[in-house]
């Protein structure tokens, strides 16, 4: 039997804190704003953008949505980012990924001012994370860390295994665990003996992108299992990268999907936007 870590509850606490600080900023004449760019009509992206706008309204931020047609050119997108970079009322800018095939994600990320880069995808912010001198943390890994802290799980000296090596989740996740003195292993599609390596983990983060990939036999008794995946199972039901049914009886802690890491991603975006507003107004 494991303790289920509720991202719903923890994210509500984070948002409450952001709401409070937002009020304080407003009293000082600073009104935090987030610009969200979405290109095309991917239904999952639409849901995520709506979640972000809702969260902004909830904590008291202004949000602006820029919904561009799928045929938008690279030049048009970069021109919009330029305009937003120069717009004082916009403190945070994010461009919802993935972009349509013909657009260059790397160029788009590079175009966002690092001081407004609330996703922390810009190379300058990625570099800052590497050396531990950062303004913003990438939302999903930061959300996972927040869940670990909220459950009172100690990272220092623990064996941490991250499955997945994306720039958005796996790599920065490993770095954050390392900053807290975890002994970190990154596994990926070419890893041999994956099961054996996972079975050693005190803290196991699944960011593979495959439904129910992590099964009970891959988990050490009492381990903390954090599930970053958002997938659909064979019945079209939302599920994570972790097979909850077989892992839950073995794990010490486990995050559910939905209601685990997902809501934390959104809450950490709010935290970054608040930070951006402070930074741009010389208050941090
Ligand atoms: C929940 C995302 C893959 C690729 C791009 C709450 C979200 C999801 C789930 C959400 C995600 C995933 C986001 C739940 C934003 C997380 O209750 O479990 C919120 O909105 N997310 C994104 O912006 O881009 C993605 C996953």
């Amino acid at each position: 039997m494991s303790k289920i870590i509720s991202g719903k509850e923890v994210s509500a606490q984070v948002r409450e804190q952001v709401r409070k600080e937002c009020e304080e900023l407003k009293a000082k004449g600073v009104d935090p704003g987030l610009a969200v760019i979405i290109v095309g009509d991917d239904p999952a992206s639409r849901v995520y953008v709506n979640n972000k706008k809702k969260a902004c309204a909830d904590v008291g931020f202004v949000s602006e949505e820029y919904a561009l047609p799928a045929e938008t050119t690279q030049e048009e997108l970069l021109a919009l980012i330029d305009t937003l970079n120069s717009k004082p009322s916009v403190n945070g800018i994010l461009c919802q990924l993935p972009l349509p095939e013909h657009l260059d994600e790397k160029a788009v990320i590079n175009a966002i001012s690092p001081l407004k880069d609330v996703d922390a995808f810009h190379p300058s912010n990625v570099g800052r994370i590497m050396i531990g001198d950062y303004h913003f943390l990438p939302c999903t890994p930061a959300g996972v860390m927040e869940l670990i802290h909220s459950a009172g799980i100690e990272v220092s000296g623990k064996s941490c295994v991250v499955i997945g090596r994306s720039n958005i989740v796996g790599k920065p996740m490993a770095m954050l665990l390392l900053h807290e003195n975890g002994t970190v292993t990154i596994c990926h599609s070419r890893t041999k003996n994956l099961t054996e390596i996972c079975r050693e983990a005190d803290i196991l983060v699944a960011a593979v992108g495959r439904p129910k990939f992590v099964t009970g036999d891959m988990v050490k008794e009492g381990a903390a299992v954090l599930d970053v995946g958002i997938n659909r199972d064979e019945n079209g039901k939302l599920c994570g990268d972790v097979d909850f049914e077989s892992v839950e009886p073995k794990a010490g802690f486990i995050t559910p999907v939905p209601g685990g890491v997902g809501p934390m991603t959104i809450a950490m975006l709010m935290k970054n936007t608040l930070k951006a507003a402070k930074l741009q107004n010389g208050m941090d």
Side-chain angles (χ1 to χ4, degrees):
M1 268 298 281
S2 60
K3 187 184 179 316
I4 295 171
I5 309 175
S6 169
K8 233 175 131 169
E9 282 172 26
V10 180
S11 67
Q13 290 164 15
V14 171
R15 278 157 67 153
E16 181 58 45
Q17 180 64 34
V18 172
R19 189 182 304 120
K20 209 182 98 206
E21 287 191 46
C22 177
E23 262 178 43
E24 292 167 13
L25 279 192
K26 282 181 174 171
K28 293 175 184 160
V30 175
D31 204 346
L34 176 68
V36 182
I37 305 169
I38 177 170
V39 187
D41 47 15
D42 177 64
S45 291
R46 173 40 64 198
V47 171
Y48 299 148
V49 165
N50 288 349
N51 288 345
K52 292 169 190 186
K53 285 164 58 188
K54 235 186 289 166
C56 281
D58 174 56
V59 301
F61 296 166
V62 180
S63 72
E64 302 179 349
E65 177 185 304
Y66 295 86
L68 308 181
E71 315 77 57
T72 301
T73 65
Q74 182 78 7
E75 291 66 36
E76 287 167 333
L77 182 51
L78 293 180
L80 170 60
I81 291 171
D82 248 11
T83 304
L84 297 173
N85 280 339
S86 315
K87 190 171 171 181
S89 65
V90 169
N91 303 113
I93 303 169
L94 77 82
C95 184
Q96 188 66 37
L97 303 181
L99 289 171
E101 282 286 333
H102 68 282
L103 294 171
D104 179 355
E105 274 184 15
K106 199 151 57 164
V108 168
I109 289 168
N110 273 292
I112 296 173
S113 160
L115 289 173
K116 296 191 177 185
D117 172 36
V118 287
D119 270 335
F121 294 164
H122 190 285
S124 142
N125 287 320
V126 174
R128 282 176 164 277
I129 291 155
M130 184 75 81
I131 58 177
D133 169 31
Y134 44 76
H135 306 298
F136 309 118
L137 288 177
C139 301
T140 300
V144 171
M145 293 312 294
E146 195 78 25
L147 288 177
I148 288 173
H149 297 149
S150 77
I153 299 161
E154 174 77 39
V155 177
S156 185
K158 294 289 174 60
S159 162
C160 306
V161 172
V162 178
I163 320 176
R165 55 171 153 179
S166 71
N167 290 331
I168 291 175
V169 182
K171 278 191 233 173
M173 186 73 246
M175 201 54 58
L176 300 193
L177 291 163
L178 181 62
H179 286 157
E180 297 199 5
N181 305 309
T183 302
V184 185
T185 304
I186 306 176
C187 296
H188 48 76
S189 53
R190 305 288 178 93
T191 297
K192 301 195 197 318
N193 314 320
L194 178 67
T195 297
E196 286 70 20
I197 296 167
C198 290
R199 284 176 71 96
E200 293 294 311
D202 301 306
I203 298 171
L204 180 61
V205 180
V208 216
R210 290 213 222 166
K212 306 183 187 182
F213 181 80
V214 174
T215 45
D217 58 309
M218 298 165 77
V219 174
K220 176 166 153 180
E221 196 76 44
V225 181
L226 297 119
D227 189 349
V228 174
I230 310 268
N231 312 292
R232 300 263 168 197
D233 70 9
E234 59 280 6
N235 305 314
K237 230 184 97 192
L238 220 53
C239 75
D241 292 347
V242 173
D243 178 37
F244 193 88
E245 202 178 87
S246 67
V247 171
E248 191 271 339
K250 265 188 115 178
F253 297 89
I254 187 167
T255 63
V257 176
V261 174
M264 292 305 295
T265 298
I266 306 296
M268 300 323 271
L269 174 67
M270 298 301 108
K271 222 172 148 168
N272 281 348
T273 304
L274 182 79
K275 179 81 181 265
K278 287 184 187 170
L279 275 171
Q280 288 155 42
N281 288 281
M283 301 163 96
D284 211 280

